[in-house]
Amino acid sequence: QVQLVESGGGLVQAGGSLRLSCSASRSTEQSNNMGWYRQAPGKQRELVAGISRDGSAVYADSVMGRFIISRDNSKNTVYLEMNTLKPEDTANYYCNARPTANWHFLYTGSWGAGTQVTVSS
């Protein structure tokens, strides 16, 4: 496994933007795929976006067109640019790294501690 450190969460008004960052301790096959999941109180964890080492990405329908995921392989870092934020985006956001892009498995791979994103209306 790899250690993941997130940053960039916070409080923002609806319509605003935030950028999350997540750095992996090392580059191995365990970080071939990196992504972001989120979990709000009382709700199931869900995939927000994921990106493979070659740059291919997937997004949840709810964030398509508003969020952009990217990665810098030289820095072992993945980013999540979140635009036009809505109150329903409020959740704890977790960085994830996994060897294969099996994003539908919600608890696979290495995880960061999470960073809180709160969007006020």
Side-chain angles (χ1 to χ4, degrees):
Q1 292 195 338
V2 295
Q3 281 71 51
L4 302 172
V5 178
E6 304 124 328
S7 62
L11 173 64
V12 65
Q13 287 189 332
S17 298
L18 281 175
R19 187 190 196 209
L20 305 183
S21 300
C22 171
S23 294
S25 57
R26 54 199 177 102
S27 178
T28 72
E29 64 176 8
Q30 299 298 322
S31 58
N32 280 348
N33 301 277
M34 297 183 72
W36 295 91
Y37 288 75
R38 68 186 180 187
Q39 188 164 18
K43 294 189 176 181
Q44 188 180 20
R45 181 173 295 187
E46 62 176 358
L47 173 69
V48 178
I51 187 167
S52 299
R53 195 177 293 277
D54 64 1
S56 56
V58 296
Y59 294 91
D61 289 344
S62 60
V63 306
M64 188 79 70
R66 299 188 297 123
F67 291 11
I68 300 173
I69 191 169
S70 61
R71 66 185 290 168
D72 185 335
N73 292 328
S74 67
K75 297 180 180 179
N76 302 326
T77 299
V78 63
Y79 306 95
L80 185 68
E81 186 76 31
M82 304 185 293
N83 302 305
T84 319
L85 281 160
K86 305 175 181 180
E88 50 264 43
D89 293 317
T90 295
N92 209 353
Y93 284 68
Y94 296 92
C95 181
N96 172 253
R98 57 183 65 195
T100 58
N102 51 356
W103 303 112
H104 53 286
F105 290 113
L106 301 179
Y107 295 94
T108 296
S110 304
W111 295 89
T115 185
Q116 179 67 34
V117 172
T118 302
V119 184
S120 63
S121 58

